[in-house]
Amino acid sequence: MPNVVNDSAVTYALFEARDLASRPRFWLVMIGVSLVLGLVGPFGTFETLPIAGRISYWSVVCLVSFWVGFLTSTVLAGLAEDRGLPDPVAVMLGGLGASLPIAGIVSAMDAAVFGASFWSEIARLLPYVAVISVVVAALFEVMIGPDTIPVIAAETPDLPEWTRRLPAEIGRDLIALQAQDHYVTARTSKGETLLRTSMTEAEEALGAYGLRVHRSWWVARQWIDTIETRKGRLMIVLRDGARVPVGRVYRSAVRKALQRPK
């Protein structure tokens, strides 16, 4: 994966946003939150705005800040994870990164509606928004319920020429590859070996025989049993029971390749 802002993290974020936007429960929650805030009128809006104005104000703040924050944090967390950072650290950085545009949106709204100073507002709000953004990002990950999703059955493919590099004693029934610095550990149904190659080179040579599912993992299609989600983490479950993590920026491609269209 190139060390630049690429479209992989953005593609994943848009995929997740479309999936979330298709859920009626999400919109019911957003409407409920907007109505409650509009009726209660926190942060001085009860005294300064009529009820219709309060509901409109909080609806715009909730919707715009949520989507900007969601997309920003998802992209940044994906890029952080793609560079090898642990998932909790990636989530925290995503939440912190999202706090700046969210604080900017709320400050701009306050400046437009109440005549407040934009820079004073953003300086006042940013620390609070940063804490809330990190907490919400963490809760969003944890609260995603467990789910096991069957995948499209793979046809038995022809063995790629690349598998001839495997020692005869472990056979050519390749299950998975794992990156190890400048080497790759190749695992078959009979054992494993260390090869001096890169994941990118192996992935290109193996083609449709398998999928790159993580910066450090590749799996053979015929060995994939199900996709499992648990506490926000996506895993590939193999036929032998092993679980392989799916990197954030690979999730949309993995789902598209393995799940039947709805």
Side-chain angles (χ1 to χ4, degrees):
M1 189 69 62
N3 292 322
V4 296
V5 177
N6 54 72
D7 68 346
S8 298
V10 175
T11 300
Y12 164 66
L14 293 175
F15 180 92
E16 292 294 301
R18 286 195 299 270
D19 180 64
L20 188 60
S22 68
R23 303 180 187 182
R25 180 184 295 181
F26 164 76
W27 292 106
L28 289 174
V29 171
M30 291 301 296
I31 291 170
V33 171
S34 300
L35 286 174
V36 169
L37 291 173
L39 292 172
V40 173
F43 303 109
T45 55
F46 188 88
E47 295 81 9
T48 54
L49 293 173
I51 185 169
R54 292 200 305 272
I55 293 174
S56 298
Y57 171 84
W58 284 110
S59 295
V60 172
V61 168
C62 288
L63 285 171
V64 176
S65 60
F66 174 84
W67 284 117
V68 170
F70 177 82
L71 291 170
T72 303
S73 64
T74 303
V75 169
L76 292 178
L79 291 173
E81 187 186 76
D82 187 43
R83 281 153 180 77
L85 294 176
D87 194 62
V89 176
V91 171
M92 183 186 70
L93 291 176
L96 287 173
S99 64
L100 185 57
I102 292 174
I105 289 168
V106 177
S107 299
M109 286 286 295
D110 288 349
V113 176
F114 305 114
S117 167
F118 173 82
W119 295 111
S120 296
E121 281 295 286
I122 201 169
R124 180 178 69 86
L125 292 173
L126 189 56
Y128 301 103
V129 174
V131 173
I132 294 171
S133 296
V134 171
V135 171
V136 169
L139 288 176
F140 194 85
E141 290 284 308
V142 172
M143 290 176 65
I144 296 176
D147 193 15
T148 300
I149 308 164
V151 303
I152 301 172
E155 298 179 0
T156 303
D158 295 331
L159 286 171
E161 188 66 24
W162 188 91
T163 59
R164 293 186 181 277
R165 302 178 60 175
L166 301 173
E169 61 268 20
I170 69 168
R172 297 174 64 190
D173 186 15
L174 186 61
I175 297 175
L177 302 174
Q178 183 180 11
Q180 304 281 352
D181 295 325
H182 299 296
Y183 294 83
V184 166
T185 297
R187 183 162 68 89
T188 73
S189 56
K190 295 182 179 180
E192 62 181 43
T193 188
L194 198 63
L195 300 174
R196 186 170 179 81
T197 185
S198 68
M199 286 293 289
T200 300
E201 178 188 342
E203 177 190 10
E204 292 174 353
L206 290 164
Y209 192 77
L211 293 172
R212 181 81 172 270
V213 299
H214 190 277
R215 65 189 299 271
S216 300
W217 285 94
W218 174 98
V219 294
R221 280 289 302 266
Q222 62 179 346
W223 273 89
I224 297 173
D225 186 23
T226 58
I227 307 172
E228 180 182 85
T229 61
R230 188 173 297 274
K231 294 184 179 180
R233 294 188 63 82
L234 195 67
M235 309 289 288
I236 294 291
V237 183
L238 301 178
R239 282 169 28 210
D240 63 358
R243 284 170 168 77
V244 175
V246 179
R248 257 170 224 282
V249 298
Y250 294 91
R251 290 182 186 180
S252 58
V254 167
R255 285 171 172 159
K256 184 178 180 181
L258 299 180
Q259 293 180 237
R260 289 182 176 86
K262 296 180 180 180

